[in-house]
């Protein structure tokens, strides 16, 4: 296996009659040996373009790609010792599963016995041994995806590249294949780079996650570090389902207390104390705008909290109630903001009724609205 290092990597597409388009903006990133790295972000953020530059399928405008210590900018894709799994499977419809998996090995003129050994080994790992004689049209979507992954495995590459490989599967099959790919990574101890727009896939599969936006890297961290310690507003809002609630407001000082006051001209605006840790971070922001962030699971119905602290308690109107079984999603209106609380399903919440909620301040965050960065 191998380390992949990107240094000042950029991709610029000619704009024709308009300005050039920078799809990737001079990014630096190291994928460690045997690591499962996920590139995640919304459509157009540059994640697939980055993967294609690593694969050699997209010309590099600036910077370098190194695999196993060697710069591969001018190396053809077939000589980079990588294997790529595409979103659309890219199987040969006239070939059997066996021949689809063996095709690349035949081009490399490996002995027939070695080809058979590798194909049988990969098919056993993926549980498709009984499908080797079938054509792709006789396979389900999940089986076709397994064949595409198997075709990559038989090559024994230094790096696996996976470009949204589960996008064409239904929800249940996606969950199953997510698990299979994670098991496969553990079994092969391979270096894998996986592109997805689905943050649930990213959180559940990656050793580390690279969050991208508009061609830039927003943050690189382990899944739970991204979730608990977002570096900026974009990461806070993108990672998590439902996403983090963000309230626009300002910091006020009242005696020894530091308050957050929501931006809202009505008399129903939210006003609550900031816990000591947040008050320290807000030092220097008194009478200045800030953004308060808190995740839905850190907003609790006061009826389910023993001795809720009145300093962190608010009142809001229920817009929508979504019972999910073990929990309920409450979509609420503060007067200036709509936000979501994830509460225990212990009672019914009617629309347009008022509910008292308490904030778990120990996991809340403050952000600078100008720089978009978290206050530390």
């Amino acid at each position: 296996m191998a380390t992949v290092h990107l240094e000042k990597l950029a991709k610029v597409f000619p704009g024709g009659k308009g300005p050039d388009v920078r799809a990737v903006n001079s990014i630096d990133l190291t994928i460690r040996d045997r690591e499962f790295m996920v590139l995640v972000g919304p459509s157009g953020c540059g994640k697939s373009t980055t993967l294609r530059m690593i694969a050699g399928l997209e010309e590099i405008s600036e910077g370098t790609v190194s695999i196993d210590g060697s710069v591969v900018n001018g190396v053809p894709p077939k000589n980079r010792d990588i294997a790529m799994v595409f979103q659309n499977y890219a199987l040969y419809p006239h070939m059997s599963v066996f021949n689809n998996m063996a095709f690349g090995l035949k081009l490399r003129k490996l002995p027939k016995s070695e080809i058979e050994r590798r194909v049988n080994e990969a098919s056993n790992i993926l549980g498709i041994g009984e499908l080797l004689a079938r054509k792709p049209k006789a396979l389900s979507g999940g089986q076709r995806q397994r064949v595409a992954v198997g075709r990559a495995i038989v090559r024994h590459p230094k790096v696996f590249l996976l470009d949204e490989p589960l996008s064409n599967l239904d929800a249940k099959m996606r969950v199953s294949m997510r698990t299979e790919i994670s098991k496969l990574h553990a079994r092969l101890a391979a270096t894998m780079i996986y592109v997805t727009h689905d943050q649930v896939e990213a959180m559940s599969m990656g050793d580390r996650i690279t969050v991208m936006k508009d061609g830039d890297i927003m943050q690189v961290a382990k899944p739970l570090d991204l979730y608990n310690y977002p570096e900026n507003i974009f990461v806070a809002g993108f990672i998590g389902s439902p996403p983090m609630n963000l309230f626009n407001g300002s910091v006020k000082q009242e005696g020894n207390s530091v308050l957050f006051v929501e931006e809202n001209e009505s008399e129903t605006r939210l006003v609550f104390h900031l816990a000591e840790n947040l008050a320290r971070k807000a030092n220097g922001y008194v009478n200045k705008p800030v953004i308060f962030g808190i995740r839905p699971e850190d907003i609790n119905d006061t009826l389910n909290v023993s001795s809720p602290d009145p300093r962190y308690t608010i009142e809001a109107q229920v817009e929508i109630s979504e019972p999910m079984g073990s929990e309920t999603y409450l979509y609420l209106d503060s007067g200036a903001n709509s936000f979501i609380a994830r509460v225990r399903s212990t009672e019914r919440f009617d629309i347009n009724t008022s509910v008292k909620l308490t904030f778990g301040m120990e996991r809340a965050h403050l952000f600078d609205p100008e720089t978009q960065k978290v206050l530390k």
Side-chain angles (χ1 to χ4, degrees), residues 123-149:
S123 63
N124 288 333
I125 289 173
L126 294 167
I128 55 174
E130 73 282 3
L131 306 178
L132 293 179
R134 294 190 192 179
K135 299 285 180 64
K137 66 180 180 180
L139 304 177
S140 68
Q143 289 169 336
R144 292 179 192 178
Q145 194 56 270
R146 281 185 169 87
V147 175
V149 173

Side-chain angles (χ1 to χ4, degrees), residues 21 34-35 50 58 77 80 82 90 93 113 117 122 141 166 182 262 290 296 309 322-323 332 358 365 371 376:
V21 177
R34 304 174 188 270
E35 181 175 39
T50 299
E58 200 73 68
R80 293 194 181 192
I82 56 96
S113 60
R117 186 190 69 79
L166 309 185
S182 295
E262 181 188 36
V290 295
D309 193 327
E322 289 185 349
L332 303 141
T358 185
H365 302 274
T371 65
K376 296 183 178 180

